[in-house]
């Protein structure tokens, strides 16, 4: 009798492998890899997913499958990729398998008064809402004119479903409601079609490729199946055009494509460029899609109707037929790392995916990650450079203001005189400005306002974090604790300040220095409710002259032609995060600002305020020479054995009771140390930089190993050896992007 290997979602056995079940003769033809099945586990029923079918098994006392609940939703190759993800990122196999299943498609077993009951996934609705233009109502008040125009433009080519509109433009239901009240559009219900309405595909207008672009395209063309090509080129150097051409070639050969872009870049313009080349062959996978819409898109891809999938991180798992190429744009973006289990990095999964499917991986960025550069240096991928913008294009002027020098001359404000002058200029000329307050997380640090010194750890290359309790300074790498010094350890100034100011203070400061200039604030606080983001931007657009104050989320939206000034209030806030990648984050953010700001006819200027003007991340941006930063960062990481020159695992333990998190962390640290060979170091446990979130105390254990070390196996073995505690949750993060 054949045996099905089934991934089961059983929290107490989280890191267990698949479980074996006999396939009874009546299910022989149905039970295949990718099917959801119903099984018995202990005395209950459970839903699982078949990840393999084998001829026999030596597991004793096997039970038969009870039922097959769904047709196959993924194939053998996906099952192998899921197993790799679970192994590499020390995650439950069921979590990895679920990546391949659109949410809402998985049946569940629910407990009821009289036993267990199977909850089938929601059926998709038979009708959908379609929006179409029906008249010209002119300008409708009370919604942003820009949003109205965007909706009407999108509908100009024909009706779209509300789902399609949302996927293209973000939440627009309020705009659609107003437009329909005014008689400009009509919303009606219609029967769901099998696929989307056919979109006419304009013949591509092909520009002549630049030398760099042709070179990159040739390299991709010549790439062996399973290999990886890195395209390094500033914004506007024509990378997207290279992706489009490479995908056209793949399509001409009858194969499919996946394109990943950061969620925040999944704009109508981006999608439009792909749609204009590939028409209704594209499927867009977006977090704004409802579960039903997402399911439908997966189905279209599985049926082979859509062969080019454009989407955020999770689009990697779409069932594209005969995959030929995977493109990851803005490869350095942190959003490619998943924050919950399995904590995978899309780049690493994509590398494995193209190997398994004999496809080619292309990653592109203006500021490639050190992992990509290191891979290129060691010959594990090809590197193509696009050093220039197509069609030239003016770059903004960049000026650095030394805040330490500013303070020395008596200026106690958070704005330099220079920045104030520029803001006044913006107001007088009726222009617009953006002020970035680059703040992440809640960690704060101590900074000397006179010399810019930030107390750091003697042993690790990170700054010490200020903790209210104590108060005390703490290193989150080695758990060292240091008393808060009364004066600056370097220059003995008494002006030591806790740093970590928010956007609110920046907004208040603007109101103080240029009261005539309207201020719009945009950060996690002001945009947390639905549509908050678009309302803030609409407000900023509605003014003829204004300042937009926000966190680094604004760095991506710098394509406003009317913005002539971008001020980075303090570049230092990320430089001092307890994070080995602090410099990298700052560099990437500043590069983005420097590459994008001031694109309009009036040109523009970037002002970077910092206490650390000689930091390589800042000098690299000002001198427009990324190697200034990379050389320094490479050296530091190599010396300290940080990724990609070494490996790190960060295991976070959380519990409602502080001592429980700590006790469990102690046991885990000890167990790993017992399992670990000589070359592996276990650091901690120590309180996590975010020591408490939502009433849960957080502790962490860091494990450092040499490059290429099978760190995941070590962590998995150790975690499996520690009995789980129901009141403590354990979250292993392999090769983490931050240590928060
Ligand atoms: P990137 O993805 O690197 O930011 P894009 O591919 O978006 O760059 O190119 C920037 C702009 O230049 C786009 O408007 C694009 O249509 C145009 N473009 C790209 N390649 C060429 C080319 N070879 N000749 C002329 N224009 C080009
Ligand atoms: Zn330390
Ligand atoms: Zn000092």
């Amino acid at each position: 009798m054949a045996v099905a290997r089934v991934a089961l979602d059983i929290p107490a056995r989280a890191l267990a492998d698949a479980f074996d079940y006999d396939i009874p003769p009546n299910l022989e033809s149905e039970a295949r890899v990718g099917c959801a099945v119903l099984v018995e586990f202990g005395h209950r029923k459970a839903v699982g997913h078949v990840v393999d079918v084998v001829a026999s098994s030596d597991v004793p006392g096997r039970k038969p499958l009870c039922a097959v609940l769904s047709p196959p939703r993924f194939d053998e190759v996906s099952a192998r990729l899921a197993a790799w993800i679970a192994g590499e990122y020390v995650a439950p196999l069921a979590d990895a398998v679920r990546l391949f299943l659109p949410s809402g498609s998985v049946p569940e077993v629910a407990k009821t008064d009289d036993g267990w009951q199977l909850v089938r996934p929601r059926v998709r609705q038979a009708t959908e809402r379609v929006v179409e233009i029906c008249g010209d109502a002119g300008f409708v008040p009370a919604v942003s004119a820009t949003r109205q125009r965007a909706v009407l433009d999108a509908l100009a080519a024909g009706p779209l479903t509300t789902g399609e509109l949302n996927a293209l433009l973000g939440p627009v239901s309020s705009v659609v409601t107003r437009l329909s009240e005014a008689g400009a559009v009509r919303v009606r219900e219609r029967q769901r079609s099998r696929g989307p309405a056919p979109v006419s595909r304009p013949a591509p207008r092909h520009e002549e490729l630049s030398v760099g672009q042709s070179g990159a395209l040739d390299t991709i063309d010549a790439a062996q199946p399973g290999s990886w090509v890195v395209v390094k080129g500033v914004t506007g150097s024509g990378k997207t055009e290279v992706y489009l051409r490479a995908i056209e070639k793949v399509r001409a050969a009858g194969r499919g494509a996946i394109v990943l872009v950061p969620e925040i870049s999944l704009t109508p313009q981006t999608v439009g460029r792909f749609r204009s080349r590939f028409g209704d062959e594209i499927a867009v996978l977006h977090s704004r899609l409802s579960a039903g819409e997402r399911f439908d898109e997966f189905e279209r891809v599985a049926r082979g109707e859509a062969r080019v999938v454009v989407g955020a991180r999770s689009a990697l798992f779409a069932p594209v037929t005969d995959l030929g190429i995977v493109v990851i744009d803005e490869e350095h973006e942190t959003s490619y790392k998943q924050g919950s289990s399995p904590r995978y990095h899309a780049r690493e999964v994509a590398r494995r995916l193209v190997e398994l499917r004999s496809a080619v991986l292309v990653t592109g960025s203006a500021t490639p990650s050190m992992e990509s550069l290191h891979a290129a240096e060691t010959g594990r991928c090809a590197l193509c450079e696009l050093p220039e913008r197509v069609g030239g294009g003016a770059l903004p002027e960049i000026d650095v203001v030394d805040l330490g020098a500013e303070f020395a001359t008596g200026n106690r404000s958070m704005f330099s005189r220079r920045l104030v002058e520029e803001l006044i200029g913006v107001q007088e000329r009726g222009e617009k400005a953006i002020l970035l307050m680059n703040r992440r997380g809640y960690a704060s640090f101590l900074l000397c306002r006179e010399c810019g010194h930030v107390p750091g750890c003697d042993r690790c290359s990170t700054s010490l974090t200020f903790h209210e309790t104590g108060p005390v300074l703490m290193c989150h790498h080695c758990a060292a604790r240091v008393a808060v010094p009364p004066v600056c350890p370097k220059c003995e100034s008494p002006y030591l300040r806790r740093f970590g100011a928010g956007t609110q203070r920046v907004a208040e400061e603007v109101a103080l220095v240029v009261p005539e200039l309207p201020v719009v604030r945009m950060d996690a606080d002001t945009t947390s409710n639905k549509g908050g983001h678009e309302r803030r931007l609409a407000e900023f657009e509605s003014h003829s002259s204004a300042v937009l104050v926000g966190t680094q989320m604004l760095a991506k939206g710098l394509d406003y032609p009317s913005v002539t000034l971008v001020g980075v209030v303090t570049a230092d806030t990320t430089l001092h995060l307890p994070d080995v990648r602090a410099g990298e984050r700052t560099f990437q953010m500043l590069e983005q600002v420097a590459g994008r700001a001031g694109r309009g006819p009036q040109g523009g200027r970037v002002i970077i305020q910092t206490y650390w003007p000689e930091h390589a991340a800042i000098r690299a941006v000002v001198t427009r020479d990324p190697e200034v930063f990379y050389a320094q960062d490479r050296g530091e990481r190599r010396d300290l054995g940080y990724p990609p020159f070494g490996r790190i695992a960060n295991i976070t333990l959380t519990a409602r009771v502080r001592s429980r998190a700590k006790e469990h962390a102690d046991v885990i640290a000890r167990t790993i140390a017992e399992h670990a060979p000589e070359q592996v170091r276990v650091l901690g446990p120590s309180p996590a930089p975010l020591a408490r979130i939502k009433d849960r105390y957080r502790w962490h254990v860091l494990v450092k190993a040499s490059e290429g070390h099978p760190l995941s196996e070590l962590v998995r073995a150790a975690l499996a050896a520690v009995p789980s505690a129901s009141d403590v949750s354990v979250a292993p993060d392999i090769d983490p992007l931050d240590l928060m």
Side-chain angles (χ1 to χ4, degrees), residues 207-210 213 233-241 273 390:
E207 294 118 335
E208 183 119 5
L209 290 183
S210 70
Q213 286 175 314
V234 293
T235 317
S237 60
K239 295 186 296 297
T240 309
E241 188 58 38
R273 275 181 85 178
V390 269

Side-chain angles (χ1 to χ4, degrees), residues 216-274:
L217 200 57
D218 289 345
T219 308
I220 296 168
D221 246 0
Q224 292 298 313
S227 68
W228 173 20
V229 178
V230 172
V231 181
K232 180 183 176 196
V234 293
T235 317
S237 60
K239 295 186 296 297
T240 309
E241 188 58 38
V242 172
Y243 311 149
L244 289 165
R245 301 275 184 113
I247 296 168
E248 277 174 357
K249 293 201 171 185
V250 165
R251 286 299 302 123
R255 307 185 71 190
I258 293 176
V259 182
L260 301 190
V261 297
E263 179 79 41
I264 198 150
S265 319
L266 211 46
T267 58
Q269 291 94 310
T270 315
V271 174
R273 275 181 85 178
F274 285 89

Side-chain angles (χ1 to χ4, degrees), residues 269-585:
Q269 291 94 310
T270 315
V271 174
R273 275 181 85 178
F274 285 89
R275 204 179 280 282
S276 73
R277 292 287 169 92
F278 303 107
D280 42 332
E281 260 185 15
I282 81 161
V284 182
L285 291 175
H286 212 278
S287 68
R288 289 194 282 256
L289 295 180
S290 69
E293 287 162 351
R294 204 178 162 75
F295 182 80
D296 287 354
E297 288 296 87
F298 256 69
E299 289 282 284
R300 277 183 62 221
V301 176
R303 287 195 301 266
E305 288 169 22
R307 299 295 304 279
V308 178
V309 174
V310 181
R313 189 177 64 221
S314 61
L316 208 47
F317 305 103
V320 175
T321 342
D322 192 8
L323 185 67
I325 191 170
V326 176
V327 174
I328 304 184
D329 193 25
E330 310 278 358
E331 166 271 333
H332 63 276
E333 276 281 327
T334 50
S335 61
Y336 286 127
K337 173 96 175 168
Q338 176 148 298
S340 57
S341 175
R343 294 178 174 74
Y344 69 90
H345 196 296
R347 178 188 59 237
E348 300 307 313
V349 174
R351 284 176 61 185
R352 190 79 195 120
L353 174 64
V354 297
E355 277 171 28
L356 289 169
R357 301 243 181 237
S358 299
V360 170
L361 170 64
V362 177
T363 63
S365 174
T367 51
S369 65
M370 192 56 81
E371 281 77 0
S372 297
L373 293 177
H374 184 53
E377 279 153 17
T378 51
R380 282 175 291 140
C381 65
L383 177 67
C384 309
E385 303 204 38
L386 304 180
E388 273 153 34
R389 283 200 167 154
V390 269
L395 293 163
E397 276 177 52
I398 305 172
D399 291 319
V400 171
V401 177
D402 181 346
L403 288 178
E406 191 77 20
F407 188 82
T409 63
N411 182 1
R412 298 290 186 268
S413 150
M414 68 199 296
F415 291 173
S416 61
R417 294 185 179 87
R418 181 67 209 288
L419 184 55
V420 173
E421 272 167 32
E422 291 294 340
L423 283 170
I424 292 171
V426 161
Q427 190 265 325
E428 285 174 352
R429 292 189 298 272
E431 297 167 354
K432 286 183 182 175
I434 290 181
L435 292 179
L436 291 169
M437 184 72 218
N438 197 28
R439 185 180 182 212
R440 203 170 62 142
Y442 308 93
S444 58
F445 53 89
L446 221 52
L447 181 135
C448 169
R449 298 206 67 190
E450 227 144 335
C451 76
H453 177 70
V454 172
C457 177
D458 294 341
R459 280 193 282 167
C460 315
S461 129
T462 53
S463 24
L464 295 169
T465 306
F466 183 91
H467 279 246
E468 205 81 69
T469 46
V472 71
L473 295 178
M474 207 181 275
C475 172
H476 286 287
H477 284 265
C478 68
R481 294 163 76 94
V482 180
V484 177
V487 294
C488 171
K490 202 165 147 202
C491 76
E492 302 194 342
S493 158
Y495 292 101
L496 273 180
R497 276 279 200 79
R498 198 184 144 180
F499 227 79
T503 53
Q504 182 151 13
R505 275 207 48 215
V506 179
E508 285 164 10
E509 193 82 15
V510 176
L512 216 61
V513 296
V514 218
E516 304 85 356
L517 203 53
V519 183
V520 179
R521 191 155 73 88
M522 190 156 114
D523 56 23
D525 295 340
T526 61
T527 58
S528 52
N529 53 347
K530 199 160 183 263
H533 198 262
E534 60 161 351
R535 266 201 304 280
R536 293 285 151 171
L537 284 180
E539 188 187 339
F540 181 55
E541 280 174 55
S542 70
H543 292 289
S544 57
S545 174
V547 185
L548 185 61
V549 174
T551 48
Q552 61 269 35
M553 66 162 83
L554 288 184
K556 311 256 188 302
L558 292 171
D559 279 331
Y560 294 103
S562 55
V563 171
T564 56
L565 171 69
V566 175
V568 179
V569 179
T570 41
D572 311 35
T573 34
T574 47
L575 282 181
H576 296 297
L577 280 175
D579 187 337
V580 291
R581 292 165 198 271
E584 185 181 7
R585 297 281 163 274

